[in-house]
Amino acid sequence: MKKSRLFDLLFAMMYVLFIAQIASATVLQVAADGSAAFASVQPAIDGASSGDTIVVRGDVGTYAGFNINKPLVVIGTGWGCAPTPPTSVTSTITLSSGSTGSVLEGFSVSTNDYYACISVASTQNISIRRCKCTRPTNIPVFINYSSVAVENCAFYGAYYGGVELGTD
């Protein structure tokens, strides 16, 4: 009987901690036309706390590339999801050291930069979903670490393949 009570108490404490962590996460809105709290993505990332979600509107303009350097969920409107316009980015999106556990979803990246549309370096446990990469001179997605999932993405006009795996 005592073991059961101890288990119940531990389970209840873990549940409370889990709910507290979820409750502390914030959703930040980005709209290029200034109709949201942020007009560009990087200031939203800089102002976010670990675990927050950033929602980027796609129907109000294009965005510059950005660097995710903490665990975040960054969501655009996707691409090819008519009638909603895609969340368009015009230069490289980077997931760098500190972004372990991040999710990048729903961006259409079109760049003439030499480097990749999406670059993952010195981080792990990253999910890249429903993104479209167009016209990178080199490669669409460069992954220089382990445990990165690339799901339901499309690559167009790349000189080299789709996903390049580097070494750290």
Side-chain angles (χ1 to χ4, degrees):
M1 188 70 154
K2 286 185 179 185
K3 285 184 182 181
S4 177
R5 278 198 133 126
L6 181 59
F7 177 77
D8 290 345
L9 181 62
L10 287 174
F11 180 78
M13 288 173 48
M14 288 175 31
Y15 180 76
V16 168
L17 289 174
F18 176 74
I19 295 300
Q21 182 179 5
I22 290 173
S24 69
T26 301
V27 176
L28 305 171
Q29 301 282 330
V30 179
D33 67 356
S35 63
F38 297 92
S40 58
V41 181
Q42 193 62 55
I45 291 170
D46 295 343
S49 297
S50 294
D52 285 354
T53 297
I54 298 173
V55 177
V56 185
R57 286 186 49 193
D59 61 343
V60 293
T62 61
Y63 300 90
F66 48 88
N67 177 34
I68 301 171
N69 56 5
K70 59 185 91 167
L72 298 171
V73 176
V74 184
I75 303 172
T77 57
W79 58 274
C81 301
T84 305
T87 301
S88 299
V89 176
T90 59
S91 55
T92 302
I93 297 173
T94 303
L95 291 103
S96 62
S97 179
S99 65
T100 296
S102 289
V103 175
L104 178 70
E105 181 172 341
F107 287 88
S108 178
V109 185
S110 181
T111 178
N112 287 322
D113 292 350
Y114 173 75
Y115 205 56
C117 289
I118 301 171
S119 175
V120 179
S122 300
T123 191
Q124 57 189 352
N125 298 325
I126 301 294
S127 291
I128 301 169
R129 301 188 294 240
R130 296 180 40 243
C131 289
K132 174 183 171 185
C133 294
T134 306
R135 292 192 322 261
T137 304
N138 198 353
I139 51 173
V141 178
F142 177 73
I143 299 172
N144 198 24
Y145 219 74
S146 62
S147 301
V148 177
V150 178
E151 305 170 50
N152 299 321
C153 294
F155 311 116
Y156 299 98
Y159 187 74
Y160 297 106
V163 177
E164 180 176 316
L165 304 175
T167 57
D168 199 31

